[in-house]
Amino acid sequence: MEMKNTRQKITDAAIEIFNEDLSAPLEIVAEKAEVTRRTLHRYFTDRQDLVLACHAAMQESCRKAIDVVYTSFPEPLERFENMLYAAIDCGVKFSFLHRMHNNDHHNHTAKDENCSKYDVTFNKFRMTIEELQRKNLITTELSVEWVEMLCTGIVTAAINSEKSGNVAKVNIKKFAWFSLSKGILV
Amino acid sequence: MEMKNTRQKITDAAIEIFNEDLSAPLEIVAEKAEVTRRTLHRYFTDRQDLVLACHAAMQESCRKAIDVVYTSFPEPLERFENMLYAAIDCGVKFSFLHRMHNNDHHNHTAKDENCSKYDVTFNKFRMTIEELQRKNLITTELSVEWVEMLCTGIVTAAINSEKSGNVAKVNIKKFAWFSLSKGILV
DNA sequence: GACTTATTTCTCAAAAGTGTGACATTTTAA
DNA sequence: TTAAAATGTCACACTTTTGAGAAATAAGTC
């Protein structure tokens, strides 16, 4: 096992655990990552260090996925559809990152570098929605903010569907786009 | 201050705190409930005791709300709409209850009394969805399981909208029903 | 005012979680 | 095969969290 692999395994495990329980003991994270707590501490000095690493990993993963789609699809509706798919692929990372920036304890401010990075990524969502509304491709009865919230809600639904195994995996994205697109149509 | 009030204040606080952080220190819960940690322990011997009480409270609250709607509206589409509103009103309780029954550590089984109680309540959702599909009021392209997931996703969106304050409060339910109904139309 | 009940304050000891050092063991790569 | 790198084991000091006892205080009731 080389180093990079282990570090990633730990952050991946941490993201999943912290997503459900932000103050879970590091022992639990280590278990999930299949390493010792001692090893975990070799890579991350602190709990905070680990949390920050998770944050950065989620940030980067989402940014990359969304960016690719944003630049690849000039047609806004098609772009929007593929941004949804990208978000579903990012899965837990996507929804956890959102939660981190919107919970009570976090003071979201453009001055913070992390926050502005987050903003840059997710403004691409907002801008696409606004463009869709301007071009009358989706209803103007709904506010942009609601459509944004709806997107993350549908991503959550997709994640839970996948986790529970009650919805055939091949159908999840199809269903998600069906519901989202009809749910915001003119 | 009478007893019942305090007990409720504590479970209410705990539900909100645990919803965001399942292993938050009881100190935090006590703070939110505006009592001492010592007082909290006079009502709940254990952390587990408190968690179970929260669970029961959520269970009961959701059951009551859904039951009323379920028996009040014979027409399935109208019933479905009002079940959504009820779920939004239950808010955090609704989504936290779901999380508790769907997370990795929880083994959902009909034998457990709590699980079966949960099932009874949320089967009312499922039955209504099935009825809507039978009567061709919603599309049969989507599976019942997805529509269920979609509902909780939209409830989540509504909760987050309310919390963030980005969506006018008067609009939230309207938007939620708009998106849900169109998102599952024939 | 005396009495009951709920709460706070202060205290304490046990338990759980955290971070690190020293050394053994395994893996990896030359 | 062997040296280096990565990981595991164990022990330790330390902090936080937990749960409960005892007495003081506040609040409501008769």
Side-chain angles (χ1 to χ4, degrees), chain A residues 2-71:
Chain A
E2 71 269 45
M3 178 186 118
K4 206 171 182 183
N5 216 328
T6 302
R7 195 186 164 85
Q8 182 126 8
K9 256 184 16 183
I10 294 172
T11 50
D12 283 349
I15 287 168
E16 286 214 28
I17 296 290
F18 290 159
N19 182 44
E20 289 200 337
D21 181 358
L22 197 59
S23 356
L26 298 181
E27 183 75 48
I28 306 285
V29 176
E31 244 170 54
K32 179 130 198 163
E34 297 175 299
V35 294
T36 337
R37 195 165 60 84
R38 190 65 189 84
T39 302
L40 186 152
H41 275 298
R42 287 214 179 82
Y43 288 92
F44 306 97
T45 62
D46 250 1
R47 178 187 207 85
Q48 197 196 355
D49 189 22
L50 176 56
V51 171
L52 289 179
C54 289
H55 190 258
M58 294 190 289
Q59 197 85 262
E60 186 56 15
S61 165
C62 291
R63 190 198 60 74
K64 223 184 269 176
I66 303 270
D67 267 19
V68 168
V69 173
Y70 192 73
T71 54

Side-chain angles (χ1 to χ4, degrees), chain B residues 9-169:
Chain B
K9 257 183 16 184
I10 294 172
T11 49
D12 284 349
I15 287 168
E16 285 213 30
I17 297 290
F18 289 159
N19 184 44
E20 290 200 337
D21 182 357
L22 197 58
S23 355
L26 298 181
E27 183 75 47
I28 306 284
V29 176
E31 245 171 53
K32 180 129 196 164
E34 296 175 300
V35 294
T36 334
R37 193 167 61 83
R38 193 63 191 83
T39 302
L40 186 151
H41 274 296
R42 289 182 60 256
Y43 286 94
F44 306 97
T45 61
D46 247 6
R47 178 185 208 87
Q48 198 196 356
D49 188 22
L50 176 57
V51 171
L52 289 178
C54 289
H55 190 255
M58 293 190 290
Q59 197 85 263
E60 185 56 16
S61 165
C62 290
R63 189 198 59 76
K64 223 185 268 177
I66 302 273
D67 266 20
V68 168
V69 173
Y70 192 72
T71 54
S72 308
F73 296 92
E75 203 281 302
L77 195 61
E78 201 185 1
R79 189 197 317 151
F80 188 55
E81 178 178 353
N82 282 281
M83 282 171 96
L84 175 69
Y85 297 151
I88 293 174
D89 285 332
C90 287
V92 167
K93 290 176 192 160
F94 184 88
S95 65
F96 186 24
L97 188 55
H98 262 287
R99 276 235 308 261
M100 289 195 78
H101 280 268
N102 296 326
N103 76 7
D104 297 334
H105 306 292
H106 177 74
N107 259 19
H108 190 82
T109 159
K111 283 169 211 155
D112 182 18
E113 196 194 347
N114 273 326
C115 293
S116 76
K117 227 176 173 182
Y118 169 88
D119 285 340
V120 168
T121 300
F122 289 99
N123 274 346
K124 294 195 164 62
F125 247 105
R126 178 188 303 255
M127 284 163 64
T128 302
I129 295 166
E130 282 168 353
E131 187 179 346
L132 287 168
Q133 282 197 332
R134 267 200 312 279
K135 298 189 174 168
N136 266 322
L137 291 168
I138 64 173
T139 182
T140 51
E141 278 187 60
L142 302 173
S143 74
V144 179
E145 288 75 18
W146 168 256
V147 178
E148 264 191 303
M149 293 288 183
L150 182 63
C151 286
T152 74
I154 285 183
V155 170
T156 305
I159 295 168
N160 292 337
S161 297
E162 166 122 23
K163 208 160 53 177
S164 77
N166 290 335
V167 182
K169 204 175 166 184

Side-chain angles (χ1 to χ4, degrees), chain A residues 38 84 153 160 163:
Chain A
R38 190 65 189 84
L84 175 68
N160 291 337
K163 207 162 52 177

Side-chain angles (χ1 to χ4, degrees), chain A residues 13-180:
Chain A
I15 287 168
E16 286 214 28
I17 296 290
F18 290 159
N19 182 44
E20 289 200 337
D21 181 358
L22 197 59
S23 356
L26 298 181
E27 183 75 48
I28 306 285
V29 176
E31 244 170 54
K32 179 130 198 163
E34 297 175 299
V35 294
T36 337
R37 195 165 60 84
R38 190 65 189 84
T39 302
L40 186 152
H41 275 298
R42 287 214 179 82
Y43 288 92
F44 306 97
T45 62
D46 250 1
R47 178 187 207 85
Q48 197 196 355
D49 189 22
L50 176 56
V51 171
L52 289 179
C54 289
H55 190 258
M58 294 190 289
Q59 197 85 262
E60 186 56 15
S61 165
C62 291
R63 190 198 60 74
K64 223 184 269 176
I66 303 270
D67 267 19
V68 168
V69 173
Y70 192 73
T71 54
S72 309
F73 296 91
E75 203 281 302
L77 196 60
E78 200 185 3
R79 189 197 316 150
F80 188 55
E81 177 178 352
N82 283 279
M83 283 171 96
L84 175 68
Y85 298 152
I88 292 175
D89 285 332
C90 288
V92 168
K93 289 174 191 161
F94 182 88
S95 64
F96 187 24
L97 187 55
H98 261 289
R99 277 234 309 270
M100 288 195 79
H101 280 269
N102 295 325
N103 74 8
D104 298 336
H105 307 291
H106 176 74
N107 258 19
H108 191 83
T109 159
K111 284 167 208 155
D112 182 23
E113 196 194 347
N114 273 325
C115 292
S116 77
K117 227 176 174 182
Y118 168 88
D119 285 340
V120 168
T121 301
F122 290 100
N123 274 345
K124 293 194 165 63
F125 245 106
R126 179 188 302 255
M127 283 162 62
T128 301
I129 296 166
E130 282 168 353
E131 187 178 346
L132 287 167
Q133 281 198 331
R134 268 200 312 277
K135 297 188 174 169
N136 266 324
L137 291 168
I138 65 173
T139 182
T140 51
E141 278 188 61
L142 302 172
S143 74
V144 178
E145 289 76 16
W146 168 256
V147 179
E148 266 190 300
M149 292 290 182
L150 182 63
C151 287
T152 73
I154 285 183
V155 170
T156 305
I159 295 168
N160 291 337
S161 297
E162 166 122 24
K163 207 162 52 177
S164 77
N166 290 333
V167 182
K169 205 174 167 185
V170 281
N171 284 331
I172 291 179
K173 282 185 187 176
K174 195 180 69 180
F175 287 174
W177 175 242
F178 182 97
S179 298
L180 176 57

